[in-house]
Amino acid sequence: MNTIKELIKVGSTRLAQCGSVSSRLDAEVLLASILDCPRITFYTDPSRTVSVEDAEEYQRRIDRRAALEPVAYIIGKKEFMGLTFKVSSDVLIPRPDTESLVEAILESVIPKIKQDTSHLRVLDLCTGSGAIGLTLKFFVSSAAVTLTDISDKALKVAEENAQALSISNITMVESDLFESLSPEEPFDLIVSNPPYIPDGVIPTLQKDIVDYEPMLALSGGVTGYDLYERITREAGLYLRKGGAIVLEVGNDQETRVAELLEKQGFRAITMVPDLTGAVRGVVAWKE
Ligand code: GLN
């Protein structure tokens, strides 16, 4: 019979050898997902025995992680802003960086748009798992939130997340950016974490990302700005006066994205830092 302690030791040693930088944590999360218990159990009850079937399943999950598949895909979920999001290889795994953006939107952008959020109309373009848009709807339940994605598979994941979080009254539209939306019903806030990695940079990313996350959610074309160019060109049409657009940006992309926004008449542009202090978002206003 295997004990928790032995399984964690063997699993984390193997993952460390295979290049995981968080081998112990990974092993614990994988085992916790099988035993359906909090990780604290591993410390309070290390000699608890694990059934043969569970130990075999653990071994299979360790094998997947040893091939550098992200833990979130193996266990099928990821925490974002304290909420649990289902993820599959059809969607990008929500990042802590993006939490900084959502916090800034909740704390300083939405209150500046309007105090009374009962008629607040929000659009999350390229929603993927729905992390940004559904979190905004969760915390500002009176808002009318629309989620769009070009991928119907991603929208299915977002839909499952809405259900799992008991969020109703969400509009989901399969759309290539604004294509299937109408400018006659403008939004107060447009948010997007579009694909923004320059094609030449993609092969240099961690294997966990390149080999497993959807290229559709990563690739921003040769320069990385393909989607920003399209979004900034069209956003003004779908935003009402006094509304804001908030875009996540990749490393060192903020200056160019701010220029693109300014060129289209957006003003009062500000930057949002992530937890490392790097700029991760750009906020701009339609006057
Ligand atoms: N932040 C992601 C990464 O660094 C990329 C997300 C995106 O392209 N929107 O892998």
Side-chain angles (χ1 to χ4, degrees):
M1 272 293 190
N2 294 293
T3 63
I4 282 177
K5 197 174 162 189
E6 284 158 6
L7 288 177
I8 294 291
K9 186 155 179 267
V10 172
S12 58
T13 306
R14 165 109 192 276
L15 295 184
Q17 284 161 355
C18 294
S20 161
V21 288
S22 50
S23 52
R24 164 118 199 167
L25 174 66
D26 292 356
E28 287 185 4
V29 172
L30 293 176
L31 188 56
S33 70
I34 294 162
L35 302 182
D36 202 19
C37 66
R39 278 167 45 229
I40 186 79
T41 316
F42 304 159
Y43 295 87
T44 55
D45 197 7
S47 39
R48 178 170 143 192
T49 54
V50 176
S51 73
V52 174
E53 297 78 51
D54 284 348
E56 282 171 0
E57 178 57 25
Y58 173 69
Q59 192 51 52
R60 280 191 288 275
R61 293 187 188 196
I62 289 285
D63 287 343
R64 287 170 69 182
R65 182 63 191 135
L68 294 181
E69 182 171 351
V71 170
Y73 288 151
I74 302 173
I75 66 173
K77 60 186 179 183
K78 176 77 179 175
E79 293 285 310
F80 182 81
M81 296 283 292
L83 305 174
T84 301
F85 281 85
K86 179 190 147 81
V87 292
S88 74
S89 53
D90 292 318
V91 297
L92 194 82
I93 300 165
R95 309 281 206 266
D97 295 346
T98 309
E99 291 179 331
S100 303
L101 212 67
V102 173
E103 275 170 7
I105 293 168
L106 290 170
E107 278 165 25
S108 51
V109 178
I110 289 179
K112 253 171 100 179
I113 297 174
K114 43 171 94 162
Q115 292 298 325
D116 169 16
T117 54
S118 57
H119 298 290
L120 188 81
R121 286 177 44 79
V122 179
L123 169 64
D124 176 11
L125 279 180
C126 314
T127 193
S129 64
I132 298 179
L134 292 176
T135 303
L136 292 175
K137 175 72 179 169
F138 186 88
F139 288 106
V140 187
S141 56
S142 54
V145 177
T146 299
L147 310 181
T148 70
D149 205 288
I150 194 171
S151 156
D152 60 329
K153 288 182 183 155
L155 278 182
K156 273 212 181 76
V157 175
E159 199 147 349
E160 284 176 43
N161 279 321
Q163 264 169 30
L165 294 165
S166 304
I167 294 175
S168 46
N169 292 326
I170 281 270
T171 308
M172 305 221 183
V173 186
E174 190 181 326
S175 178
D176 182 4
L177 298 183
F178 298 98
E179 207 169 79
S180 307
L181 301 173
S182 161
E184 270 146 46
E185 292 179 279
F187 295 91
D188 299 289
L189 171 63
I190 297 175
V191 191
S192 186
N193 175 14
Y196 54 61
I197 312 282
D199 286 347
V201 172
I202 288 178
T204 69
L205 299 176
Q206 285 167 245
K207 270 178 82 66
D208 315 41
I209 301 175
V210 195
D211 289 356
Y212 291 95
E213 297 205 71
M215 221 25 80
L216 188 62
L218 292 171
S219 166
V222 174
T223 62
Y225 294 95
D226 281 11
L227 278 284
Y228 294 124
E229 280 166 14
R230 288 181 56 202
I231 293 171
T232 53
R233 215 179 308 129
E234 296 171 43
L237 264 179
Y238 296 84
L239 203 57
R240 71 156 183 79
K241 274 189 186 161
I245 177 164
V246 181
L247 298 173
E248 178 167 323
V249 292
N251 295 338
D252 302 321
Q253 289 180 319
E254 67 273 17
T255 309
R256 177 83 188 118
V257 170
E259 274 170 19
L260 289 170
L261 285 161
E262 235 168 11
K263 204 169 91 187
Q264 299 297 332
F266 289 94
R267 294 291 175 258
I269 297 173
T270 52
M271 307 294 172
V272 182
D274 65 19
L275 291 173
T276 71
V279 173
R280 189 55 63 214
V282 179
V283 182
W285 296 82
K286 178 169 168 174
E287 287 189 317

